[in-house]
PDB file of all heavy atoms in Angstrom:
ATOM      1  N   MET T 668      12.674  32.408  -0.197  1.00  0.00           N
ATOM      2  CA  MET T 668      13.221  31.722   0.963  1.00  0.00           C
ATOM      3  C   MET T 668      14.471  30.948   0.534  1.00  0.00           C
ATOM      4  O   MET T 668      14.438  30.234  -0.466  1.00  0.00           O
ATOM      5  CB  MET T 668      12.168  30.761   1.516  1.00  0.00           C
ATOM      6  CG  MET T 668      12.610  30.025   2.743  1.00  0.00           C
ATOM      7  SD  MET T 668      11.199  29.123   3.436  1.00  0.00           S
ATOM      8  CE  MET T 668      12.036  28.224   4.674  1.00  0.00           C
ATOM      9  N   LEU T 679      17.517  22.133  13.397  1.00  0.00           N
ATOM     10  CA  LEU T 679      16.098  21.885  13.651  1.00  0.00           C
ATOM     11  C   LEU T 679      15.917  20.623  14.484  1.00  0.00           C
ATOM     12  O   LEU T 679      15.131  20.615  15.440  1.00  0.00           O
ATOM     13  CB  LEU T 679      15.326  21.776  12.331  1.00  0.00           C
ATOM     14  CG  LEU T 679      13.845  21.429  12.450  1.00  0.00           C
ATOM     15  CD1 LEU T 679      13.099  22.473  13.292  1.00  0.00           C
ATOM     16  CD2 LEU T 679      13.219  21.279  11.072  1.00  0.00           C
ATOM     17  N   GLN T 680      16.652  19.564  14.147  1.00  0.00           N
ATOM     18  CA  GLN T 680      16.560  18.337  14.936  1.00  0.00           C
ATOM     19  C   GLN T 680      16.968  18.577  16.388  1.00  0.00           C
ATOM     20  O   GLN T 680      16.318  18.077  17.300  1.00  0.00           O
ATOM     21  CB  GLN T 680      17.430  17.228  14.339  1.00  0.00           C
ATOM     22  CG  GLN T 680      16.788  16.532  13.163  1.00  0.00           C
ATOM     23  CD  GLN T 680      17.621  15.381  12.642  1.00  0.00           C
ATOM     24  OE1 GLN T 680      18.835  15.476  12.521  1.00  0.00           O
ATOM     25  NE2 GLN T 680      16.952  14.295  12.315  1.00  0.00           N
ATOM     26  N   LEU T 683      14.128  20.488  18.111  1.00  0.00           N
ATOM     27  CA  LEU T 683      13.001  19.591  18.361  1.00  0.00           C
ATOM     28  C   LEU T 683      13.312  18.611  19.485  1.00  0.00           C
ATOM     29  O   LEU T 683      12.466  18.336  20.340  1.00  0.00           O
ATOM     30  CB  LEU T 683      12.629  18.837  17.072  1.00  0.00           C
ATOM     31  CG  LEU T 683      12.018  19.671  15.963  1.00  0.00           C
ATOM     32  CD1 LEU T 683      11.929  18.858  14.671  1.00  0.00           C
ATOM     33  CD2 LEU T 683      10.645  20.194  16.365  1.00  0.00           C
ATOM     34  N   PHE T 688      10.659  16.396  21.183  1.00  0.00           N
ATOM     35  CA  PHE T 688      10.086  15.812  19.975  1.00  0.00           C
ATOM     36  C   PHE T 688      11.143  15.015  19.232  1.00  0.00           C
ATOM     37  O   PHE T 688      12.296  15.429  19.151  1.00  0.00           O
ATOM     38  CB  PHE T 688       9.527  16.892  19.040  1.00  0.00           C
ATOM     39  CG  PHE T 688       8.402  17.678  19.650  1.00  0.00           C
ATOM     40  CD1 PHE T 688       8.605  18.984  20.075  1.00  0.00           C
ATOM     41  CD2 PHE T 688       7.155  17.105  19.824  1.00  0.00           C
ATOM     42  CE1 PHE T 688       7.579  19.714  20.644  1.00  0.00           C
ATOM     43  CE2 PHE T 688       6.113  17.830  20.395  1.00  0.00           C
ATOM     44  CZ  PHE T 688       6.323  19.139  20.811  1.00  0.00           C
ATOM     45  N   GLU T 695      15.434  17.450   0.887  1.00  0.00           N
ATOM     46  CA  GLU T 695      15.437  17.275  -0.558  1.00  0.00           C
ATOM     47  C   GLU T 695      15.281  18.624  -1.230  1.00  0.00           C
ATOM     48  O   GLU T 695      14.325  19.352  -0.967  1.00  0.00           O
ATOM     49  CB  GLU T 695      14.312  16.345  -1.002  1.00  0.00           C
ATOM     50  CG  GLU T 695      14.357  16.065  -2.489  1.00  0.00           C
ATOM     51  CD  GLU T 695      13.472  14.913  -2.915  1.00  0.00           C
ATOM     52  OE1 GLU T 695      12.877  14.244  -2.074  1.00  0.00           O
ATOM     53  OE2 GLU T 695      13.389  14.706  -4.129  1.00  0.00           O
ATOM     54  N   MET T 702       8.980  12.996   8.110  1.00  0.00           N
ATOM     55  CA  MET T 702       8.530  11.667   7.713  1.00  0.00           C
ATOM     56  C   MET T 702       7.624  11.124   8.807  1.00  0.00           C
ATOM     57  O   MET T 702       8.023  11.044   9.965  1.00  0.00           O
ATOM     58  CB  MET T 702       9.728  10.734   7.510  1.00  0.00           C
ATOM     59  CG  MET T 702      10.808  11.293   6.587  1.00  0.00           C
ATOM     60  SD  MET T 702      10.211  11.857   4.991  1.00  0.00           S
ATOM     61  CE  MET T 702       9.781  10.314   4.255  1.00  0.00           C
ATOM     62  N   ILE T 712       7.324  -5.651   8.553  1.00  0.00           N
ATOM     63  CA  ILE T 712       7.981  -6.145   7.341  1.00  0.00           C
ATOM     64  C   ILE T 712       9.422  -5.631   7.287  1.00  0.00           C
ATOM     65  O   ILE T 712      10.351  -6.372   6.973  1.00  0.00           O
ATOM     66  CB  ILE T 712       7.189  -5.733   6.085  1.00  0.00           C
ATOM     67  CG1 ILE T 712       5.867  -6.500   6.036  1.00  0.00           C
ATOM     68  CG2 ILE T 712       8.009  -5.957   4.813  1.00  0.00           C
ATOM     69  CD1 ILE T 712       4.868  -5.969   5.028  1.00  0.00           C
ATOM     70  N   ASN T 722      21.076 -11.352   9.394  1.00  0.00           N
ATOM     71  CA  ASN T 722      21.530 -12.701   9.762  1.00  0.00           C
ATOM     72  C   ASN T 722      22.480 -13.289   8.723  1.00  0.00           C
ATOM     73  O   ASN T 722      23.261 -14.181   9.032  1.00  0.00           O
ATOM     74  CB  ASN T 722      20.336 -13.643   9.956  1.00  0.00           C
ATOM     75  CG  ASN T 722      19.631 -13.400  11.267  1.00  0.00           C
ATOM     76  OD1 ASN T 722      20.113 -12.678  12.139  1.00  0.00           O
ATOM     77  ND2 ASN T 722      18.462 -13.987  11.412  1.00  0.00           N
ATOM     78  N   VAL T 724      24.437 -11.088   6.565  1.00  0.00           N
ATOM     79  CA  VAL T 724      25.536 -10.132   6.408  1.00  0.00           C
ATOM     80  C   VAL T 724      26.510 -10.139   7.588  1.00  0.00           C
ATOM     81  O   VAL T 724      27.724 -10.209   7.399  1.00  0.00           O
ATOM     82  CB  VAL T 724      24.963  -8.712   6.189  1.00  0.00           C
ATOM     83  CG1 VAL T 724      26.024  -7.643   6.333  1.00  0.00           C
ATOM     84  CG2 VAL T 724      24.298  -8.619   4.820  1.00  0.00           C
ATOM     85  N   ARG T 728      30.609 -10.697   7.838  1.00  0.00           N
ATOM     86  CA  ARG T 728      31.300  -9.409   7.879  1.00  0.00           C
ATOM     87  C   ARG T 728      31.318  -8.744   6.489  1.00  0.00           C
ATOM     88  O   ARG T 728      32.322  -8.201   6.056  1.00  0.00           O
ATOM     89  CB  ARG T 728      32.696  -9.549   8.462  1.00  0.00           C
ATOM     90  CG  ARG T 728      32.672 -10.078   9.887  1.00  0.00           C
ATOM     91  CD  ARG T 728      34.042 -10.269  10.505  1.00  0.00           C
ATOM     92  NE  ARG T 728      34.861  -9.085  10.495  1.00  0.00           N
ATOM     93  CZ  ARG T 728      34.831  -8.097  11.404  1.00  0.00           C
ATOM     94  NH1 ARG T 728      34.007  -8.177  12.411  1.00  0.00           N
ATOM     95  NH2 ARG T 728      35.636  -7.068  11.314  1.00  0.00           N
ATOM     96  N   LEU T 729      30.149  -8.792   5.838  1.00  0.00           N
ATOM     97  CA  LEU T 729      30.030  -8.268   4.478  1.00  0.00           C
ATOM     98  C   LEU T 729      29.758  -6.775   4.424  1.00  0.00           C
ATOM     99  O   LEU T 729      30.017  -6.132   3.407  1.00  0.00           O
ATOM    100  CB  LEU T 729      28.907  -9.008   3.735  1.00  0.00           C
ATOM    101  CG  LEU T 729      29.108 -10.511   3.561  1.00  0.00           C
ATOM    102  CD1 LEU T 729      27.868 -11.131   2.937  1.00  0.00           C
ATOM    103  CD2 LEU T 729      30.343 -10.787   2.719  1.00  0.00           C
ATOM    104  N   GLY T 730      29.182  -6.241   5.494  1.00  0.00           N
ATOM    105  CA  GLY T 730      28.842  -4.828   5.485  1.00  0.00           C
ATOM    106  C   GLY T 730      27.910  -4.485   6.622  1.00  0.00           C
ATOM    107  O   GLY T 730      27.873  -5.171   7.640  1.00  0.00           O
ATOM    108  N   LEU T 746      19.552  14.769   1.994  1.00  0.00           N
ATOM    109  CA  LEU T 746      19.688  13.815   3.081  1.00  0.00           C
ATOM    110  C   LEU T 746      18.495  12.875   3.005  1.00  0.00           C
ATOM    111  O   LEU T 746      17.355  13.313   3.122  1.00  0.00           O
ATOM    112  CB  LEU T 746      19.714  14.522   4.440  1.00  0.00           C
ATOM    113  CG  LEU T 746      19.792  13.605   5.657  1.00  0.00           C
ATOM    114  CD1 LEU T 746      21.135  12.890   5.714  1.00  0.00           C
ATOM    115  CD2 LEU T 746      19.554  14.392   6.931  1.00  0.00           C
ATOM    116  N   ALA T 767      25.941   9.136   6.975  1.00  0.00           N
ATOM    117  CA  ALA T 767      26.910   8.590   6.025  1.00  0.00           C
ATOM    118  C   ALA T 767      26.894   9.465   4.773  1.00  0.00           C
ATOM    119  O   ALA T 767      25.829   9.797   4.263  1.00  0.00           O
ATOM    120  CB  ALA T 767      26.556   7.157   5.674  1.00  0.00           C
ATOM    121  N   ASP T 782       1.470   5.811   1.856  1.00  0.00           N
ATOM    122  CA  ASP T 782       2.393   6.028   0.738  1.00  0.00           C
ATOM    123  C   ASP T 782       1.717   5.821  -0.613  1.00  0.00           C
ATOM    124  O   ASP T 782       0.740   5.074  -0.725  1.00  0.00           O
ATOM    125  CB  ASP T 782       3.583   5.066   0.815  1.00  0.00           C
ATOM    126  CG  ASP T 782       4.590   5.429   1.888  1.00  0.00           C
ATOM    127  OD1 ASP T 782       4.696   6.623   2.214  1.00  0.00           O
ATOM    128  OD2 ASP T 782       5.269   4.514   2.390  1.00  0.00           O
ATOM    129  N   ARG T 783       2.296   6.459  -1.608  1.00  0.00           N
ATOM    130  CA  ARG T 783       1.893   6.244  -2.993  1.00  0.00           C
ATOM    131  C   ARG T 783       3.037   5.530  -3.708  1.00  0.00           C
ATOM    132  O   ARG T 783       4.206   5.900  -3.543  1.00  0.00           O
ATOM    133  CB  ARG T 783       1.602   7.574  -3.700  1.00  0.00           C
ATOM    134  CG  ARG T 783       0.488   8.383  -3.057  1.00  0.00           C
ATOM    135  CD  ARG T 783      -0.877   7.704  -3.270  1.00  0.00           C
ATOM    136  NE  ARG T 783      -1.909   8.323  -2.466  1.00  0.00           N
ATOM    137  CZ  ARG T 783      -2.441   7.784  -1.367  1.00  0.00           C
ATOM    138  NH1 ARG T 783      -2.021   6.620  -0.932  1.00  0.00           N
ATOM    139  NH2 ARG T 783      -3.385   8.405  -0.703  1.00  0.00           N
ATOM    140  N   LYS T 785       4.048   5.518  -6.765  1.00  0.00           N
ATOM    141  CA  LYS T 785       4.831   6.353  -7.683  1.00  0.00           C
ATOM    142  C   LYS T 785       5.933   7.110  -6.945  1.00  0.00           C
ATOM    143  O   LYS T 785       7.075   7.169  -7.412  1.00  0.00           O
ATOM    144  CB  LYS T 785       3.903   7.334  -8.416  1.00  0.00           C
ATOM    145  CG  LYS T 785       4.612   8.320  -9.319  1.00  0.00           C
ATOM    146  CD  LYS T 785       5.067   7.687 -10.609  1.00  0.00           C
ATOM    147  CE  LYS T 785       5.507   8.719 -11.619  1.00  0.00           C
ATOM    148  NZ  LYS T 785       6.940   8.871 -11.719  1.00  0.00           N
ATOM    149  N   ILE T 791      13.333   5.322  -5.246  1.00  0.00           N
ATOM    150  CA  ILE T 791      14.264   4.241  -5.605  1.00  0.00           C
ATOM    151  C   ILE T 791      15.043   4.618  -6.861  1.00  0.00           C
ATOM    152  O   ILE T 791      16.268   4.421  -6.926  1.00  0.00           O
ATOM    153  CB  ILE T 791      13.506   2.911  -5.780  1.00  0.00           C
ATOM    154  CG1 ILE T 791      13.056   2.395  -4.406  1.00  0.00           C
ATOM    155  CG2 ILE T 791      14.371   1.868  -6.498  1.00  0.00           C
ATOM    156  CD1 ILE T 791      12.134   1.198  -4.440  1.00  0.00           C
ATOM    157  N   GLY T 802      17.601  -1.559  -5.847  1.00  0.00           N
ATOM    158  CA  GLY T 802      16.484  -0.943  -5.136  1.00  0.00           C
ATOM    159  C   GLY T 802      15.364  -1.964  -5.043  1.00  0.00           C
ATOM    160  O   GLY T 802      15.082  -2.659  -6.024  1.00  0.00           O
ATOM    161  N   ASP T 806       5.513  -4.047  -1.434  1.00  0.00           N
ATOM    162  CA  ASP T 806       4.134  -3.562  -1.388  1.00  0.00           C
ATOM    163  C   ASP T 806       3.271  -4.569  -0.629  1.00  0.00           C
ATOM    164  O   ASP T 806       2.846  -5.579  -1.194  1.00  0.00           O
ATOM    165  CB  ASP T 806       3.600  -3.363  -2.807  1.00  0.00           C
ATOM    166  CG  ASP T 806       2.196  -2.781  -2.833  1.00  0.00           C
ATOM    167  OD1 ASP T 806       1.527  -2.717  -1.776  1.00  0.00           O
ATOM    168  OD2 ASP T 806       1.749  -2.392  -3.935  1.00  0.00           O
ATOM    169  N   VAL T 814      12.151  -5.658  -7.709  1.00  0.00           N
ATOM    170  CA  VAL T 814      13.591  -5.416  -7.643  1.00  0.00           C
ATOM    171  C   VAL T 814      13.986  -4.546  -8.833  1.00  0.00           C
ATOM    172  O   VAL T 814      13.689  -4.865  -9.985  1.00  0.00           O
ATOM    173  CB  VAL T 814      14.376  -6.749  -7.675  1.00  0.00           C
ATOM    174  CG1 VAL T 814      15.879  -6.485  -7.583  1.00  0.00           C
ATOM    175  CG2 VAL T 814      13.906  -7.670  -6.550  1.00  0.00           C
ATOM    176  N   PRO T 821      12.352  -3.754 -14.187  1.00  0.00           N
ATOM    177  CA  PRO T 821      12.132  -4.234 -12.829  1.00  0.00           C
ATOM    178  C   PRO T 821      11.651  -5.697 -12.841  1.00  0.00           C
ATOM    179  O   PRO T 821      11.013  -6.138 -13.799  1.00  0.00           O
ATOM    180  CB  PRO T 821      11.033  -3.319 -12.289  1.00  0.00           C
ATOM    181  CG  PRO T 821      11.039  -2.128 -13.183  1.00  0.00           C
ATOM    182  CD  PRO T 821      11.508  -2.607 -14.515  1.00  0.00           C
ATOM    183  N   LEU T 830      13.655 -14.009  -3.276  1.00  0.00           N
ATOM    184  CA  LEU T 830      14.378 -12.766  -3.509  1.00  0.00           C
ATOM    185  C   LEU T 830      15.872 -13.037  -3.384  1.00  0.00           C
ATOM    186  O   LEU T 830      16.322 -13.583  -2.375  1.00  0.00           O
ATOM    187  CB  LEU T 830      13.947 -11.712  -2.486  1.00  0.00           C
ATOM    188  CG  LEU T 830      14.733 -10.401  -2.467  1.00  0.00           C
ATOM    189  CD1 LEU T 830      14.614  -9.664  -3.796  1.00  0.00           C
ATOM    190  CD2 LEU T 830      14.263  -9.529  -1.313  1.00  0.00           C
ATOM    191  N   PHE T 851      -1.713 -15.125  13.800  1.00  0.00           N
ATOM    192  CA  PHE T 851      -1.717 -16.069  14.916  1.00  0.00           C
ATOM    193  C   PHE T 851      -3.151 -16.504  15.208  1.00  0.00           C
ATOM    194  O   PHE T 851      -4.076 -15.698  15.151  1.00  0.00           O
ATOM    195  CB  PHE T 851      -1.092 -15.435  16.161  1.00  0.00           C
ATOM    196  CG  PHE T 851       0.343 -15.004  15.935  1.00  0.00           C
ATOM    197  CD1 PHE T 851       0.694 -13.663  16.056  1.00  0.00           C
ATOM    198  CD2 PHE T 851       1.309 -15.916  15.606  1.00  0.00           C
ATOM    199  CE1 PHE T 851       1.996 -13.254  15.866  1.00  0.00           C
ATOM    200  CE2 PHE T 851       2.621 -15.519  15.410  1.00  0.00           C
ATOM    201  CZ  PHE T 851       2.984 -14.179  15.533  1.00  0.00           C
TER     202      PHE T 851
END
Side-chain angles (χ1 to χ4, degrees):
M668 182 171 173
L679 176 59
Q680 280 184 318
L683 291 170
F688 298 106
E695 184 167 355
M702 308 308 291
I712 291 167
N722 284 349
V724 167
R728 300 179 56 84
L729 298 174
L746 177 68
D782 286 332
R783 300 290 170 254
K785 176 76 168 101
I791 288 172
D806 183 349
V814 181
L830 172 62
F851 300 118

